[in-house]
């Protein structure tokens, strides 16, 4: 059965906030979803058709930070199938997909906090994202 997590991060007046609603479910692999992405060993991700590549990448990253724990807890495999990722356009950055996936997984499986966060950067008028013990996931090291 699918469940929805409503990710919200409130910013200052100049930043507004970040928001995304992630609806997903989990089950054994090979039970219905085609075209899955293998994230780690026996942990896979299925996305709705038409998912933007940036959202797909960030959803995969959000799952990957918990994949070792999920793989250990589900030796027969685990498929996370995203039914929908929705957001108000004025309050969204693609990185929010990772934060929503992280929050959904922690709620669904009682997983530990991995330190994924967003915070307003008042000085630069932008958002600052923190990826816990993980390096910037899409940095080429420059």
């Amino acid at each position: 059965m699918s469940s929805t997590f409503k990710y919200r991060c409130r910013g200052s007046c100049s930043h507004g906030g970040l928001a995304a609603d992630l609806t997903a479910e989990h089950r054994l692999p090979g039970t219905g979803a085609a075209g899955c992405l293998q994230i780690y060993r026996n942990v896979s991700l299925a996305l709705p058709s038409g998912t933007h590549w940036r959202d797909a990448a960030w959803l995969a990253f959000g799952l990957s930070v918990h994949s070792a724990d999920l793989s250990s807890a589900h030796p027969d495999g685990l498929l996370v199938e995203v039914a929908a990722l929705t957001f108000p356009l004025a309050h969204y950055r693609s990185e929010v997909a990772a934060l929503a996936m992280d929050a959904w997984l922690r709620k669904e499986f009682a997983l530990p906090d991995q330190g994924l966060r967003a915070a307003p950067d008042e000085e630069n008028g932008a958002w600052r994202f923190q990826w816990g013990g993980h390096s910037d996931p899409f940095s080429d090291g420059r």
Side-chain angles (χ1 to χ4, degrees):
M1 173 181 271
S2 67
S3 63
T4 300
F5 186 88
K6 294 177 181 279
Y7 176 85
R8 301 293 184 267
C9 181
R10 304 211 190 292
S12 65
C13 292
S14 63
H15 285 86
L18 298 173
D21 297 347
L22 176 70
T23 301
E25 64 181 277
H26 59 88
R27 60 177 177 270
L28 286 171
T31 54
C36 301
L37 300 170
Q38 181 181 357
I39 302 302
Y40 178 84
R41 294 184 184 167
N42 59 349
V43 177
S44 299
L45 174 65
L47 301 168
S49 64
T51 301
H52 190 276
W53 71 268
R54 288 182 194 265
D55 296 337
W58 285 107
L59 286 166
F61 174 72
L63 178 55
S64 75
V65 300
H66 296 286
S67 60
D69 289 338
L70 291 168
S71 180
S72 294
H74 300 274
D76 293 332
L78 180 72
L79 170 66
V80 174
E81 184 172 5
V82 174
L85 177 66
T86 58
F87 46 87
L89 290 175
H91 302 293
Y92 185 75
R93 295 237 335 235
S94 56
E95 293 93 333
V96 175
L99 300 172
M101 176 61 80
D102 167 62
W104 182 86
L105 289 165
R106 286 189 292 123
K107 178 182 170 223
E108 210 52 38
F109 295 100
L111 294 169
D113 186 342
Q114 296 291 329
L116 278 62
R117 306 263 188 282
D121 184 346
E122 298 297 336
E123 195 171 297
N124 296 318
W127 285 94
R128 186 179 71 248
F129 294 91
Q130 299 169 349
W131 305 116
H134 306 275
S135 61
D136 187 358
F138 301 110
S139 169
D140 61 5
R142 294 183 193 170

